[in-house]
Amino acid sequence: MLKQHRRALAWLVGLACIAGAVVALFDIETPLRPFLISLFLLVVPGAAVVGLLRDRDPLAALSVGAAASLVLNVLLAEAMLLFNAWSPRAGVATVAVLGGFMYVLRVLYRGKSMQTEQGARAR
């Protein structure tokens, strides 16, 4: 029962993050705009980092994910200001691309570790 609630919550947060990216990229005016975009910018990088730390202590992984999310957003904002290229759309797109890249790394990492585990079991 608890696993179903976690899965439903994960889907809800994921859909809210997608909505936040769409709202930012297409400049859609809605009262939920600040909440959805903030949720996207804080959750996507953190979730990607937590996915890479799959065999760690859950509290430590969550802490590292939250810190990585804040660091990524601050460094991105500083870089855009430094190069005089401030663009909220570009920031959201960059976070989406980096989150996708980390997701691909996670899939490749899990595939490699699964093959290693299967090879170890065969011996």
Side-chain angles (χ1 to χ4, degrees):
M1 183 75 164
L2 183 62
K3 192 171 186 174
Q4 291 173 345
H5 290 299
R6 280 187 186 171
R7 186 172 294 247
L9 181 63
W11 274 100
L12 182 66
V13 171
L15 290 174
C17 287
I18 291 170
V22 169
V23 163
L25 292 174
F26 294 109
D27 201 23
I28 299 170
E29 291 298 326
T30 177
L32 294 175
R33 181 183 173 102
F35 172 74
L36 292 173
I37 294 173
S38 298
L39 186 71
F40 172 80
L41 290 173
L42 292 175
V43 169
V44 169
V49 169
V50 168
L52 292 173
L53 302 173
R54 65 187 176 97
D55 292 333
R56 306 295 189 265
D57 176 40
L59 184 59
L62 187 62
S63 300
V64 170
S69 182
L70 291 173
V71 166
L72 178 78
N73 283 303
V74 168
L75 288 177
L76 178 61
E78 284 183 5
M80 286 193 298
L81 288 172
L82 179 68
F83 294 113
N84 200 22
W86 182 258
S87 170
R89 286 183 182 170
V92 168
T94 303
V95 168
V97 168
L98 289 173
F101 177 70
M102 285 188 273
Y103 178 75
V104 169
L105 285 177
R106 174 182 167 185
V107 169
L108 292 175
Y109 176 69
R110 282 192 176 178
K112 181 180 177 183
S113 66
M114 290 176 118
Q115 290 172 356
T116 305
E117 289 173 7
Q118 288 174 355
R121 283 186 208 153
R123 292 180 193 163

